[in-house]
Amino acid sequence: MHLTDKNKVYTLLKMIEEVQDYAIILLDKEGIIQNWNSGAKKIKGYHSDEIIGKNFSLFYTHEDQLNKKHLKLLEQATKNGRASDTGWRVKKDGTWFWGNITITAIHNEMNEVIGFGKLTRDLTEFKKNELAKALKARELKIKELEQFTYIASHDLQEPLRTVSNYIQIIEEDYGAFLDQQGKEYLSIIDQAAMRMKALVSGLLDHSRLGIKSKTTSVDLNEILKATLTDLKSLIESKKATVHYPKNLPNIIGYKVELHQLFLNLITNAIKFTNDNIAPIIIIGCEKRMNHWEFSIQDNGIGINSKNFDKIFNIFQRTEETLHYKGYGLGLAHCKKIVELHNGRIWVESVIDQGSTFYFNLLSQTNE
Ligand code: ADP
């Protein structure tokens, strides 16, 4: 028995209709959905009655829609006969899937484009595996780097201790034989050794952040209260005023590190002011979609925008503030602490008007 052309076309259409692993969609020239197979229903979640007549742009993320990605793909397919793309797409229930699509132009006898055939493959599982592998590799690298930093800074302490001890011995046993210049040289070596000690111990503290701690439910009201108690004498000596909300949330996090985060940011807000201006610090806390956004605003010397990222790197300080005491560690600690909580930290600032440091922490409990 031979298949007629009609049989062949019918069989092909039936296969297209029933294939499950591909979404096969017929679009008109404007991208309006004309037909839809069962694979499309499986991948995108719409029944054909709900989707036919709608523009295919609704599978695109808000950002892609704003960038008119769907229209650009149709233009490309019109021009070249075919367009393909891989990226996140949106299902009926709002969840995303990683889709690989090919759009092919359909022409009439006059070679005019009259519509498009669109084929979509759901590669979410593949993408998830890829992301998980990349994440694992990154975690391993970070762990390795942290171990290296820990070992390096730990082992550097011993020879430094020896240098400091011998400086002391020279001062005590041979101080009487040194002239003024000799004493000055010794004092420079001593200061350099002390500075190096502080840097090494700062590096060690940095690599230890979060290592031995466990997450618990943390009451941020308590943390802020304890921080302000720690800073009582600095606040009084600088005549600073600190305004803060009375009902901060509880969050799941690392208690000791969160204390350090508030302590570093509020200390900086008080420290980086001109002597003739009494610091006014305003602490804010706003609920966002799935996190809390905190802000610590000061009326201090401000930061040049070219340094907004740099100051969060370890040992980085700005030229304008070299006369203030410090090693450029506080904000690097803050960044690591916020990232331990899967959050983000950033700054906005205007020179001579003040700075606002923002960070967010996931809201998970007892809001
Ligand atoms: P340190 O205070 O030890 O210098 P930090 O890491 O806390 O180190 O800060 C890094 C640099 O960022 C500081 O040297 C300073 O230049 C700048 N900075 C931090 N906080 C403020 C602030 N509130 N106002 C102005 N500059 C700031």
Side-chain angles (χ1 to χ4, degrees):
M1 186 189 96
H2 288 290
L3 285 174
T4 62
D5 281 350
K6 212 171 149 191
N7 286 146
K8 286 181 198 165
V9 171
Y10 178 78
T11 314
L12 206 61
L13 286 177
K14 195 89 191 114
M15 279 163 65
I16 289 175
E17 165 55 29
E18 284 170 11
V19 67
Q20 291 285 314
D21 295 334
Y22 290 87
I24 302 171
I25 307 169
L26 198 62
L27 304 175
D28 75 2
K29 238 168 60 177
E30 270 73 45
I32 307 293
I33 298 164
Q34 306 294 308
N35 216 335
W36 178 260
N37 76 335
S38 52
K41 178 172 177 270
K42 184 179 155 213
I43 293 177
K44 309 197 189 223
Y46 295 91
H47 205 273
S48 40
D49 308 344
E50 321 171 80
I51 200 73
I52 289 176
K54 301 250 167 72
N55 194 294
F56 84 116
S57 66
L58 88 173
F59 307 134
Y60 286 74
T61 63
H62 183 60
E63 202 185 338
D64 282 348
Q65 286 182 9
L66 287 178
N67 291 330
K68 302 200 174 0
K69 186 162 194 177
H70 53 295
L71 293 181
K72 286 180 189 156
L73 285 166
L74 291 190
E75 274 167 26
Q76 207 182 327
T78 306
K79 201 167 145 219
N80 305 332
R82 210 160 166 272
S84 45
D85 182 57
T86 307
W88 291 110
R89 299 290 189 270
V90 184
K91 295 187 188 206
K92 182 184 171 186
D93 62 7
T95 56
W96 289 14
F97 68 98
W98 184 253
N100 166 256
I101 63 132
T102 307
I103 299 180
T104 311
I106 305 170
H107 298 90
N108 64 12
E109 308 80 47
M110 330 258 289
N111 209 24
E112 293 161 339
V113 173
I114 51 167
F116 302 92
K118 181 168 174 283
L119 194 77
T120 304
R121 261 192 317 159
D122 179 357
L123 299 180
T124 311
E125 281 312 307
F126 172 75
K127 181 72 181 167
K128 271 192 199 158
N129 286 342
E130 233 182 26
L131 285 176
K133 268 194 225 152
L135 207 66
K136 190 109 207 121
R138 188 165 171 261
E139 272 171 12
L140 276 175
K141 232 184 182 138
I142 292 175
K143 244 198 173 96
E144 228 171 65
L145 208 65
E146 278 177 352
Q147 263 170 4
F148 169 78
T149 316
Y150 180 80
I151 292 166
S153 44
H154 190 258
D155 291 355
L156 279 173
Q157 286 200 323
E158 190 45 45
L160 258 176
R161 230 171 271 141
T162 312
V163 173
S164 290
N165 288 345
Y166 274 89
I167 291 172
Q168 219 179 331
I169 292 172
I170 294 175
E171 264 173 358
E172 283 168 13
D173 295 356
Y174 300 94
F177 305 106
L178 292 174
D179 63 7
Q180 195 51 34
Q181 195 160 45
K183 281 184 185 152
E184 262 170 38
Y185 288 162
L186 202 60
S187 149
I188 291 170
I189 299 174
D190 194 27
Q191 280 169 27
M194 271 175 3
R195 185 172 161 72
M196 181 132 180
K197 232 188 207 167
L199 295 180
V200 167
S201 101
L203 200 60
L204 198 58
D205 289 345
H206 190 74
S207 63
R208 275 178 182 152
L209 283 173
I211 280 189
K212 292 232 166 83
S213 332
K214 282 214 162 70
T215 54
T216 51
S217 172
V218 182
D219 180 353
L220 293 178
N221 298 293
E222 262 179 39
I223 295 281
L224 187 60
K225 222 167 107 192
T227 307
L228 294 177
T229 307
D230 293 345
L231 292 174
K232 198 164 179 282
S233 64
L234 180 68
I235 291 174
E236 282 171 7
S237 70
K238 289 277 245 170
K239 298 192 172 43
T241 326
V242 184
H243 301 278
Y244 56 94
K246 298 290 178 288
N247 50 350
L248 292 174
N250 277 25
I251 66 141
I252 298 281
Y254 298 93
K255 194 169 176 183
V256 175
E257 282 78 1
L258 286 169
H259 182 180
Q260 195 174 350
L261 174 66
F262 279 92
L263 188 68
N264 290 353
L265 291 175
I266 301 173
T267 307
N268 281 353
I270 300 173
K271 174 169 138 186
F272 294 107
T273 43
N274 285 316
D275 280 344
N276 52 348
I277 295 177
I280 301 173
I281 319 299
I282 302 170
I283 299 172
C285 173
E286 299 270 336
K287 178 88 174 81
R288 300 277 183 244
M289 279 276 275
N290 62 346
H291 62 263
W292 293 97
E293 185 176 290
F294 296 86
S295 53
I296 295 179
Q297 184 192 338
D298 64 50
N299 58 339
I301 57 172
I303 302 165
N304 190 320
S305 60
K306 74 172 195 272
N307 293 318
F308 282 0
D309 289 332
K310 177 181 152 177
I311 53 172
F312 292 100
N313 293 336
I314 196 155
F315 301 136
Q316 294 292 335
R317 311 173 67 206
T318 65
E319 269 172 35
E320 301 81 33
T321 58
L322 292 180
H323 56 288
Y324 289 83
K325 263 196 186 157
Y327 295 103
L329 276 160
L331 288 181
H333 284 359
C334 291
K335 184 164 189 262
K336 187 162 175 195
I337 294 167
V338 172
E339 286 174 356
L340 273 174
H341 292 84
N342 298 313
R344 195 167 78 82
I345 183 164
W346 69 101
V347 66
E348 283 170 15
S349 180
V350 178
I351 290 282
D352 287 334
Q353 288 189 25
S355 310
T356 307
F357 283 82
Y358 295 92
F359 61 92
N360 48 43
L361 298 173
L362 284 184
S363 54
Q364 290 159 325
T365 179
N366 300 347
E367 287 152 17

